[in-house]
């Protein structure tokens, strides 16, 4: 079976997450082998948190889970592309649909997306 090569980058591979219908890039995360297996077993996106050093199910705190619709692996087997159905309309822990909600334009930052939820209400803390 085709699988990512987890040996190349210290046990982690980057995962690009894209909305399966619109093609919008929602986020970039990382998987280790355990997160990969859980994703395959459950059909829900699991990732490895580098800051917390543990596996997490996307949406386990917020309810904004990602149902995996398609999995693609790049030619070097060191990057994964997940096409997902995003539940709860927000993929970003800061409350935006996509983690890519800021655009640099003419030397300033422009917010290009609507905030969907308040992270303090959902997580009980301010987001970074």
């Amino acid at each position: 079976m085709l699988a990512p090569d987890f040996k190349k980058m210290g046990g982690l591979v980057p995962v690009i997450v894209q909305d399966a219908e619109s093609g919008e890039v929602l986020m970039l995360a990382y998987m280790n082998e355990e997160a990969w297996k859980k994703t395959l077993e459950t059909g829900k996106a699991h990732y490895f948190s580098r800051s917390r050093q543990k596996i997490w199910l996307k949406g386990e705190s917020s309810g904004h889970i990602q149902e995996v619709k398609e999995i693609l692996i790049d030619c070097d087997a060191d990057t994964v592309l997940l096409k997902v159905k995003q539940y709860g309309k927000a993929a970003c822990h800061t409350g935006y649909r996509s983690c890519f909600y800021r655009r640099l334009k003419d030397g300033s930052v422009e917010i290009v997306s609507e905030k969907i939820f308040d992270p303090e209400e959902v997580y009980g803390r301010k987001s970074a």
Side-chain angles (χ1 to χ4, degrees):
M1 175 183 192
L2 179 63
D5 184 350
F6 292 101
K7 296 175 190 159
K8 283 187 180 177
M9 297 191 301
L12 297 179
V13 295
V15 182
I16 302 162
V17 184
Q18 187 178 38
D19 183 279
E21 288 184 24
S22 71
E24 177 183 18
V25 175
L26 300 174
M27 57 185 272
L28 171 76
Y30 293 87
M31 278 185 181
N32 64 4
E33 197 165 359
E34 182 183 354
W36 168 256
K37 288 177 180 174
K38 284 183 179 278
T39 298
L40 293 179
E41 288 168 10
T42 66
K44 295 184 176 90
H46 287 73
Y47 303 106
F48 182 79
S49 170
R50 296 174 299 155
S51 59
R52 294 177 286 164
Q53 291 292 297
K54 70 174 204 163
I55 303 293
W56 56 285
L57 166 65
K58 177 65 176 160
E60 66 189 343
S61 298
S62 67
H64 300 168
I65 65 164
Q66 294 173 339
E67 180 184 353
V68 177
K69 296 296 187 179
E70 191 173 359
I71 301 173
L72 295 99
I73 299 176
D74 78 330
C75 57
D76 293 324
D78 59 10
T79 302
V80 173
L81 171 61
L82 291 184
K83 293 188 179 186
V84 302
K85 177 172 182 174
Q86 177 67 54
Y87 289 91
K89 299 189 180 179
C92 185
H93 72 282
T94 63
Y96 291 90
R97 167 124 178 104
S98 168
C99 293
F100 301 96
Y101 62 91
R102 299 172 289 189
R103 174 174 36 218
L104 289 177
K105 186 174 181 181
D106 299 325
S108 39
V109 177
E110 178 180 45
I111 303 294
V112 295
S113 180
E114 178 185 339
K115 196 166 205 171
I116 295 175
F117 70 85
D118 179 354
E120 274 193 81
E121 290 177 14
V122 172
Y123 304 114
R125 61 174 163 75
K126 288 187 178 182
S127 61

